[in-house]
Amino acid sequence: MSFDNIRQRYEAAGQGHLLHFLPQLSESERASLRSQLEELDIERVNRIYGKAISSETEATENTGKEAIEPLPEHAADSVIGDQAKEREWRAVGLQAVARGEVGVLLMAGGQGTRLGSSAPKGCYDIGLPSHKSLFQIQAERIARLQIIAAQENGKNLGSVIIPWYVMTSGPTRPSTEAFFKKNSFFGLDPKNVIFFEQGTLPCLTMEGKVILEAPSKVAVAPDGNGGLYAALRRPLSPDDKSHTVLTDLAARNIRFIHSYCVDNCLVKIADPVFLGYCISKQADCAAKVVPKAYPTESVGVVVRRGDKFSVVEYSEISQEQAERRDPKTGELAFRAANIVNHFYTTEFLNEVESFEEEFAFHIARKKIPHVDMSSGELVKPSKPNGMKLEMFVFDVFPFTKRFAVLEVARNEEFSPLKNAPGTGSDDPETSRRDLLAQQRRFLENAGAKVADGVEIEVSPLVSYAGEGLESVKGKTFTRSGLVESVEELDALV
């Protein structure tokens, strides 16, 4: 496309300023700018901006007024204190894993900037005795679950595969792939670890004008974790346009998907209990939640609006709604805290494209470096000057036909890593504490005693969720340490 045609198109869209510096650019810079502008669907960007603004205005006006209801009993259940249900669902889930019908989608695009690290967040070491990264902990849980599913369903060891689809951002992909290669994929077969990228959208001024990061470069940002759905349709490689995550799922006959966020050290990857619950309910999409800790906790909650399900952010709920109690149980009525832990059928993931245009993007106002249009100098603003537009992964909830919610214990399944060391909340120290406390419970529930002050790190290769530790019954552990096999526990008695 010629620059004349590009200029005509962009001026018609009210974005002609993107060619302001064209006369000053070198040939290579012109080529780079042309490539960006040809690829960008500027009319879609304008539509997204318009819808995002109107949706935000509507949401602000309706804060606390909108008719939302707690989850109906038929759509929600809990495993807290119900071991019989847990065993039943676990068996169903393990059978699906053993049949090769389960895949895992990991949202791992974030960088560890807030943690003081320039590496992807999944590379972060929370300070365990083993110094394992989040990626390694999760990879070893997959490896262990493959063994459990094979053993409990009469399959040969090594025959059960759970493919792992790792979504990075553009900037984190090279370092993520390099980290996996350097660590030999943590013992997993590289053929079953598939990397793909979430998309981007241009950064905009408050008036909806696309921002230039440099005279020949449009400022872009990741399109949020809700970009997952479109990313599933993009080619995995520029050399093979026909191979996407969705086609890979089809080729492997994967029917059920578990999706989660990288920063939760307690996440049960491909949790057979959650899978079994969703399969039994014939859900096409589902959310795993934890009970809200207190009324004003800063978490979104899963609710029902009319006959549809959605997530209401803590800023969108009134104090009266937040404090409302269930008259039967006395628990918070709106307590289903969203932890970005979801189930999908592959059939549903293939349908998302048909209603994706109906999503309203969310606005994040940020300080966005940009080029001054008169001087061409780089400006680093001291206050928010523009917006990034994001989709959230839960934006699909209102479009599901058979939605379900499973409540699980927070101390067993949710310890997010969000904040810098020493913050005291959702930081590396709380992640480390929560994981080691869980592993202490594994040993105690198996009949062992662990002396005060003793910290034992039980590798996920030894136990996925407390199973396989029968031999510790009656033993008292008096020494701290790391165990990579059940036999190593004897050295800590």
Side-chain angles (χ1 to χ4, degrees):
M1 189 185 295
S2 72
F3 269 117
D4 284 343
N5 289 338
I6 292 173
R7 186 184 297 278
Q8 192 175 2
R9 179 180 159 209
Y10 274 76
E11 285 181 349
Q15 303 282 3
H17 65 284
L18 294 175
L19 291 95
H20 177 76
F21 295 102
L22 188 62
Q24 305 162 31
L25 301 181
S26 67
E27 281 306 310
S28 62
E29 288 171 331
R30 281 172 166 250
S32 173
L33 182 63
R34 178 193 282 121
S35 175
Q36 293 170 71
L37 299 184
E38 283 178 342
E39 193 173 320
L40 189 59
D41 185 343
I42 194 62
E43 294 80 13
R44 176 175 177 261
V45 171
N46 285 346
R47 287 197 305 273
I48 288 171
Y49 168 77
K51 189 162 187 176
I53 290 291
S54 61
S55 295
E56 184 185 62
T57 303
E58 185 180 339
T60 302
E61 290 171 352
N62 291 330
T63 295
K65 303 175 191 171
E66 195 166 6
I68 59 172
E69 292 298 328
L71 297 171
E73 286 186 18
H74 69 82
D77 217 317
S78 177
V79 295
I80 299 173
D82 196 332
Q83 293 185 340
K85 278 183 184 173
E86 191 171 346
R87 283 193 297 270
E88 177 188 330
W89 292 330
R90 179 180 180 273
V92 172
L94 282 178
Q95 287 163 12
V97 173
R99 290 192 299 267
E101 294 176 346
V102 174
V104 173
L105 289 174
L106 166 59
M107 290 170 278
Q111 287 180 302
T113 312
R114 287 168 70 180
L115 305 169
S117 168
S118 59
K121 195 182 274 191
C123 303
Y124 196 82
D125 167 11
I126 60 173
L128 294 171
S130 65
H131 295 289
K132 290 177 181 177
S133 64
L134 292 171
F135 280 139
Q136 181 166 356
I137 294 166
Q138 293 164 23
E140 290 182 353
R141 286 194 185 130
I142 290 174
R144 173 66 185 162
L145 187 60
Q146 290 175 162
I147 292 170
I148 295 170
Q151 288 175 335
E152 296 195 20
N153 288 278
K155 300 272 188 174
N156 293 328
L157 289 183
S159 67
V160 173
I161 300 299
I162 303 171
W164 198 15
Y165 299 88
V166 180
M167 184 175 79
T168 70
S169 63
T172 62
R173 182 166 182 169
S175 48
T176 301
E177 291 197 40
F179 190 73
F180 271 75
K181 287 171 184 168
K182 178 185 173 186
N183 290 281
S184 304
F185 288 76
F186 312 106
L188 298 176
D189 187 335
K191 293 198 302 289
N192 301 317
V193 181
I194 298 97
F195 298 97
F196 66 110
E197 279 177 42
Q198 72 185 106
T200 59
L201 280 170
C203 302
L204 304 175
T205 66
M206 303 302 185
E207 296 75 36
K209 301 296 184 184
V210 175
I211 292 173
L212 280 173
E213 180 183 312
S216 64
K217 188 176 182 184
V218 173
V220 298
D223 56 6
N225 57 21
L228 167 73
Y229 305 107
L232 300 178
R233 303 192 298 269
R234 287 198 197 94
L236 291 172
S237 159
D239 304 325
D240 182 1
K241 303 282 187 184
S242 65
H243 191 196
T244 67
V245 172
L246 289 178
T247 64
D248 197 84
L249 291 169
R252 294 172 185 262
N253 295 312
I254 301 294
R255 297 178 60 202
F256 310 113
I257 300 293
H258 177 230
S259 172
Y260 70 98
C261 215
V262 75
D263 62 3
N264 177 14
C265 69
L266 295 183
V267 66
K268 291 181 177 176
I269 295 97
D271 175 19
V273 176
F274 185 38
L275 290 167
Y277 165 73
C278 297
I279 293 167
S280 299
K281 294 279 289 187
Q282 296 186 310
D284 53 10
C285 176
K288 185 184 277 192
V289 301
V290 298
K292 200 174 179 183
Y294 50 91
T296 55
E297 185 182 9
S298 299
V299 292
V301 290
V302 184
V303 302
R304 191 163 72 162
R305 283 186 170 110
D307 61 348
K308 297 185 184 302
F309 296 88
S310 64
V311 171
V312 175
E313 293 290 5
Y314 61 90
S315 58
E316 300 171 346
I317 195 167
S318 69
Q319 186 172 343
E320 182 185 354
Q321 288 169 329
E323 293 178 352
R324 180 173 154 190
R325 299 273 173 180
D326 184 317
K328 292 181 187 173
T329 64
E331 295 175 311
L332 290 173
F334 297 102
R335 67 178 181 277
N338 178 46
I339 59 173
V340 197
N341 193 313
H342 304 139
F343 164 93
Y344 310 96
T345 62
T346 49
E347 183 180 0
F348 177 77
L349 289 176
N350 277 289
E351 291 171 358
V352 172
E353 186 177 10
S354 67
F355 52 76
E356 207 168 38
E357 280 289 317
E358 297 180 51
F359 292 172
F361 282 70
H362 309 268
I363 297 171
R365 290 173 174 81
K366 301 284 187 179
K367 293 181 281 191
I368 301 169
H370 60 95
V371 65
D372 183 273
M373 296 304 287
S374 55
S375 68
E377 297 294 316
L378 178 66
V379 178
K380 292 189 175 178
S382 57
K383 60 183 181 180
N385 64 307
M387 58 178 71
K388 297 178 180 181
L389 298 173
E390 303 174 317
M391 278 189 291
F392 295 155
V393 72
F394 54 72
D395 288 336
V396 299
F397 289 1
F399 299 90
T400 58
K401 299 181 184 74
R402 297 177 302 281
F403 189 71
V405 176
L406 183 65
E407 181 185 72
V408 297
R410 183 184 289 243
N411 68 334
E412 294 293 346
E413 301 211 29
F414 187 55
S415 180
L417 178 61
K418 304 286 186 189
N419 301 319
T423 306
S425 172
D426 296 345
D427 64 10
E429 292 83 6
T430 58
S431 291
R432 179 188 191 278
R433 176 200 71 199
D434 292 346
L435 186 52
L436 291 176
Q438 181 190 59
Q439 293 173 350
R440 169 185 280 262
R441 288 194 298 275
F442 286 173
L443 295 168
E444 291 174 341
N445 292 341
K449 291 182 179 177
V450 183
D452 290 346
V454 169
E455 292 183 331
I456 299 176
E457 181 185 350
V458 180
S459 167
L461 295 171
V462 175
S463 184
Y464 174 89
E467 80 297 326
L469 298 171
E470 294 78 13
S471 62
V472 305
K473 188 173 182 178
K475 295 179 179 177
T476 299
F477 294 102
T478 58
R479 299 175 60 197
S480 298
L482 161 69
V483 292
E484 296 282 4
S485 70
V486 176
E487 293 74 23
E488 290 178 14
L489 281 162
D490 288 339
L492 303 179
V493 172

